[in-house]
Amino acid sequence: MSTLEIKGLRAAVAGKEILTGIDLTVRRGEVHAVMGPNGAGKSTLSAVIMGKPGYEVLGGTVTLDGEDMLALPTWQRAVRGLHLVMQYPTEVPGVHVDEVLAEALAARGRDVSALGDIIRTEAGRINFDADLVARALNVDFSGGEKKRNETLQLGVLAPRFAVLDELDSGLDIDALRDCARRVEAATHESNLGVLAITHYVRLLEELKPDAVHILVAGRIVKSGGPELADVLERDGYAAFA
C-alpha cells in the first residue's frame, strides 16, 4: 500500500527549532488529523513536507513509498503525488486557474483534452462558480472562494496524498461542509491519503479521521482514534501541554 512516512523530522525557521522530532505514517485511504495550539508547529510541518522556502530541515526523513521527498524540489514532490491545500492561498495576477490546472496535469503526463468538463463537474460538487477558473488565480476571490478553489484543484489533480493546512480557516458552515465532504469522498473514490491540520473539531465532523495526533511545542504528545478529538474539545490543549 502506498505510504507517506515521516520519521524523526526536525526543522527550524530563522535559526529557531520548531519541529523537534515528528513521527507519522499515513497510508492511502486514511485520514490523519494533526491538532494543536497556535505556535505548535502545525503549519511548519506542512511547509517542510512540501518544501516551502525558508525552512531548514535539521534531521529526519519524509518519504513517499520509500522515495526521499526532502531531496526533491516542490514541483517534483507534487508530481510524485503530494498536494498542499494552503491556509492562505496565494494570489497570482495574470495567471488563470484553468491554465494552472492544465500545466499541472501536463507535468504529470495526463490528458488535458477533457479538462473543461472535469472542472465543471468538480465545481458542481463543491458549489463553486466554474466561471471563476477563467479568472486570475485567487485574485479578488472571497475567503470561501479561495478555499473552494483549493478543493477544486485537489479534485481535478487527484493526488495520492493531500496535506490540508487548516482547510477550515475562515470558512462558513456551508463552505466547510462542501470542501470537507469532497475531500472525504476522495478518500474512497481515489484512495486519497489525508494529513489534515486543524485547530477545531468541526472539520472532523465531516472529514472522518482514522487517527488524531496532538502536536504541542514541535512534537506529537498524544495519538489515538477519533475519540481523542472529543477529549480535546472537552479538556482543551492545556491537558496535553
Side-chain angles (χ1 to χ4, degrees):
M1 178 179 291
S2 189
T3 302
L4 175 65
E5 190 167 20
I6 303 167
K7 286 187 176 181
L9 185 62
R10 297 172 52 233
V13 180
K16 180 181 179 181
E17 186 167 353
I18 304 297
L19 302 181
T20 60
I22 302 293
D23 296 288
L24 272 176
T25 299
V26 183
R27 296 173 180 83
R28 290 194 70 179
E30 295 180 346
V31 175
H32 288 243
V34 175
M35 308 183 72
N38 287 326
K42 302 185 304 298
S43 290
T44 297
L45 176 60
S46 69
V48 172
I49 290 172
M50 290 304 301
K52 184 177 180 179
Y55 294 81
E56 180 186 4
V57 177
L58 303 176
T61 59
V62 177
T63 59
L64 178 55
D65 294 340
E67 183 178 9
D68 182 9
M69 293 292 102
L70 299 180
L72 301 176
T74 297
W75 72 270
Q76 288 189 9
R77 300 182 199 194
V79 168
R80 297 296 196 279
L82 294 182
H83 183 89
L84 174 64
V85 171
M86 293 184 284
Q87 181 180 4
Y88 302 110
T90 302
E91 295 185 5
V92 187
V95 179
H96 294 179
V97 178
D98 52 0
E99 295 172 341
V100 171
L101 289 170
E103 290 296 327
L105 288 173
R108 290 157 174 77
R110 291 165 53 186
D111 182 17
V112 299
S113 61
L115 178 58
D117 292 336
I118 295 171
I119 287 175
R120 283 187 288 274
T121 297
E122 288 294 335
R125 295 184 69 170
I126 58 173
N127 294 308
F128 181 70
D129 183 355
D131 290 340
L132 293 177
V133 303
R135 286 171 46 182
L137 181 64
N138 292 319
V139 175
D140 295 328
F141 284 20
S142 68
E145 287 170 341
K146 288 180 179 180
K147 291 300 181 75
R148 290 182 196 266
N149 183 32
E150 291 283 292
T151 306
L152 171 80
Q153 293 173 49
L154 185 151
V156 171
L157 296 175
R160 290 194 281 170
F161 291 92
V163 180
L164 313 181
D165 187 7
E166 300 196 29
L167 172 65
D168 50 337
S169 176
L171 288 185
D172 62 28
I173 294 173
D174 291 334
L176 173 63
R177 183 181 297 116
D178 288 339
C179 293
R181 287 181 177 177
R182 180 63 189 98
V183 177
E184 172 68 22
T187 66
H188 305 288
E189 296 171 2
S190 60
N191 211 24
L192 176 70
V194 177
L195 184 60
I197 294 168
T198 183
H199 280 295
Y200 305 112
V201 173
R202 64 175 189 162
L203 174 67
L204 308 182
E205 294 172 356
E206 300 292 345
L207 182 60
K208 308 300 184 183
D210 297 282
V212 174
H213 310 276
I214 308 300
L215 180 64
V216 177
R219 64 187 182 93
I220 292 173
V221 297
K222 183 74 173 180
S223 295
E227 70 282 352
L228 185 56
D230 297 326
V231 174
L232 184 63
E233 182 79 353
R234 184 188 70 226
D235 298 338
Y237 291 119
F240 300 95

